[in-house]
Amino acid sequence: MIRSIACILPALLFAAPALAQDDDPFAACASMTDDEARLACFDSTYARQQVVIAEREIVEEREREEVFGFREEDAALERAQDDVALTATVAEVLQGSGRSQVLLLDNGQLWREVSGSTLRNRVRDGWAASISRHWSGAYEMRFEGRSGYLRVARMR
């Protein structure tokens, strides 16, 4: 046990400055005494951080879209965010069992209509849809320019 700690300790000592710098990318800039150099450092660091933040948001949006609609998987997502919704366009409307509709969205997700819908019209290809989770736990799909909603469950 002591031997493994003795082996790890030097690695941690060398890694600590790198970890501290990763936590605060502006730390090096703040320690500069020359005003012009400090401002240039802050400007370049800010530009790099904007790219990092944008890339992180894209990845988070993809991950959110992957799990949205699967109740067990997106429960943690919904606890972390207040307003969770998905917007997509209906690519194709398929016939489900009975008179229910199965909707293929342009993002590849497949949703089927379940009981409890209030939308009176049949859905058409090209309609813009917004899917959100109702307080009851069910998912509702609303369409731009239409009243009512489809109660839906994600299939794929």
Side-chain angles (χ1 to χ4, degrees):
M1 176 75 171
I2 294 175
R3 176 179 246 169
S4 62
I5 292 173
C7 294
I8 294 173
L9 189 59
L12 289 175
L13 291 175
F14 287 113
L19 292 173
Q21 195 172 21
D22 287 344
D23 289 343
D24 186 6
F26 296 99
C29 301
S31 66
M32 293 182 172
T33 56
D34 181 30
D35 290 343
E36 288 183 32
R38 185 173 57 248
L39 180 59
C41 179
F42 275 117
D43 287 347
S44 66
T45 303
Y46 178 77
R48 283 193 311 273
Q49 289 304 307
Q50 290 299 335
V51 171
V52 169
I53 291 168
E55 289 172 348
R56 187 180 311 136
E57 287 173 353
I58 290 170
V59 169
E60 288 172 356
E61 179 65 24
R62 281 191 200 131
E63 290 172 352
R64 184 180 71 82
E65 193 172 291
E66 289 290 321
V67 300
F68 184 80
F70 296 118
R71 286 186 188 190
E72 297 79 25
E73 294 176 25
D74 75 348
L77 171 75
E78 291 187 10
R79 280 192 299 273
Q81 299 176 353
D82 292 334
D83 184 26
V84 178
L86 175 76
T87 303
T89 302
V90 177
E92 188 176 354
V93 180
L94 307 166
Q95 183 67 39
S97 62
R99 289 189 34 88
S100 71
Q101 303 173 80
V102 176
L103 308 172
L104 175 63
L105 303 180
D106 63 349
N107 61 9
Q109 293 181 356
L110 195 63
W111 293 80
R112 70 177 164 80
E113 179 182 8
V114 296
S115 64
S117 299
T118 64
L119 185 72
R120 296 187 185 272
N121 302 357
R122 300 292 290 174
V123 178
R124 304 281 181 248
D125 296 353
W127 283 11
S130 177
I131 307 165
S132 60
R133 192 165 182 177
H134 188 263
W135 61 266
S136 67
Y139 292 90
E140 296 177 349
M141 186 178 294
R142 296 183 182 276
F143 300 95
E144 189 175 295
R146 312 276 183 222
S147 62
Y149 60 85
L150 283 184
R151 184 77 43 102
V152 292
R154 185 166 172 192
M155 299 172 65
R156 179 186 73 182

